[in-house]
Amino acid sequence: MSWEQNLIEDEAGVERVVKSARRVAVLGIKTEQQSGQPAYYVPDYLARAGVEVVPVPVYYPDVTHILGKPVFRRLTDVPGELDLVDVFRRPQDIDGHVDELIAKNPRAVWFQSGIRNDAAAEKLAKAGIQVVQDRCLMVDHRRYGGR
């Protein structure tokens, strides 16, 4: 299988990623104080839909829990396996997380709506990780996985 197949751009591939996402780390999650922002309400929706959400905020050093779950400061600190890492970071900031994403080795990485970083996506795909770019996980979860 060539690494290009890990760059998921077809609807069937997106549906497979969504349906297999039972445990999702949210990189760049916001806190309840930012509840109007997608980086909070998307993971809140996922948690309410029965997905196990693991908060990995980039900011908010004093916060210990988001959505009632303990936060982790690095993906590599999260115990156990991850089906998906949902990324809420500016495209240029993703490069700083690529090595950590590869080290954690989730089944897939999801760059939220408006987020594309083709170089990072290629590195992740070559490491055997499926990548979805520039899509909203909440919208696709409602379409394929959820309620």
Side-chain angles (χ1 to χ4, degrees):
M1 183 167 127
S2 82
W3 65 267
E4 284 101 344
Q5 290 175 289
N6 286 325
L7 297 172
I8 308 296
E9 296 181 345
D10 63 301
E11 290 304 311
V14 169
E15 182 176 1
R16 271 194 314 277
V17 170
V18 169
K19 286 186 170 176
S20 68
R22 303 276 174 263
R23 188 163 191 249
V24 177
V26 182
L27 179 63
I29 191 171
K30 303 276 191 195
T31 68
E32 285 81 355
Q33 283 70 49
Q34 291 83 33
S35 62
Q37 295 186 29
Y40 179 80
Y41 67 72
V42 170
D44 181 53
Y45 158 81
L46 292 171
R48 291 173 193 271
V51 174
E52 182 187 348
V53 173
V54 181
V56 185
V58 175
Y59 305 109
Y60 321 110
D62 299 332
V63 172
T64 59
H65 288 76
I66 298 175
L67 297 173
K69 302 274 189 180
V71 303
F72 294 91
R73 294 294 155 193
R74 297 177 47 81
L75 287 166
T76 48
D77 294 338
V78 175
E81 294 189 7
L82 293 169
D83 298 317
L84 182 64
V85 176
D86 189 15
V87 178
F88 285 93
R89 301 288 287 140
R90 290 188 299 259
Q92 63 270 27
D93 293 336
I94 292 173
D95 296 328
H97 297 286
V98 168
D99 291 343
E100 189 179 6
L101 284 161
I102 290 171
K104 187 60 189 170
N105 195 29
R107 203 164 34 238
V109 172
W110 190 289
F111 297 165
Q112 277 292 143
S113 298
I115 303 171
R116 278 197 84 85
N117 181 324
D118 292 331
E122 183 176 320
K123 285 179 193 163
L124 294 167
K126 285 180 175 173
I129 299 168
Q130 296 178 0
V131 182
V132 175
Q133 297 195 79
D134 192 16
R135 291 186 71 128
C136 178
L137 183 54
M138 182 172 75
V139 170
D140 285 322
H141 191 272
R142 283 181 175 148
R143 181 178 295 142
Y144 297 123
R147 310 177 175 187

